[in-house]
């Protein structure tokens, strides 16, 4: 919400928890997900943004599934 625009990324290039929940949503789906630390950033954390061992909560709405461009 803070970004003011949707986030675009490739499944597989995100935390393990997102890789597991995004396929459950389907295009237009929405859900609130609690991602345990071991499927997020684990004991390493993520810089100053996520402390080590922290569980994460996301409110996700999957707007559109984009196909990867073939090279």
């Amino acid at each position: 919400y803070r970004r003011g625009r949707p986030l675009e990324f490739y499944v597989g290039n995100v935390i393990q928890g997102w890789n597991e929940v995004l396929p459950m949503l389907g295009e237009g789906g929405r859900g609130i997900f609690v991602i345990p630390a071991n499927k997020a950033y684990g004991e390493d954390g993520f810089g100053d943004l996520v402390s080590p061992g922290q569980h994460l909560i996301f409110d996700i709405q999957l707007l559109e599934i984009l196909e990867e461009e073939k090279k």
Side-chain angles (χ1 to χ4, degrees):
Y1 294 115
R2 281 186 265 175
R3 293 171 43 89
R5 60 187 165 85
L7 177 65
E8 187 175 313
F9 56 86
Y10 294 102
V11 173
N13 290 341
V14 291
I15 60 173
Q16 181 183 354
W18 278 34
N19 287 329
E20 293 178 11
V21 301
L22 289 174
M24 290 185 228
L25 286 176
E27 212 167 89
R30 185 174 194 155
I32 296 175
F33 299 95
V34 177
I35 308 294
N38 68 326
K39 294 192 180 210
Y41 296 102
E43 294 306 314
D44 294 331
F46 188 74
D48 293 336
L49 298 174
V50 180
S51 300
Q54 190 170 21
H55 303 302
L56 305 176
I57 301 172
F58 294 99
D59 182 354
I60 300 173
Q61 182 177 11
L62 182 57
L63 300 176
E64 182 179 11
I65 298 172
L66 304 172
E67 296 293 325
E68 185 176 355
E69 290 183 32
K70 305 248 189 245
K71 293 183 180 182

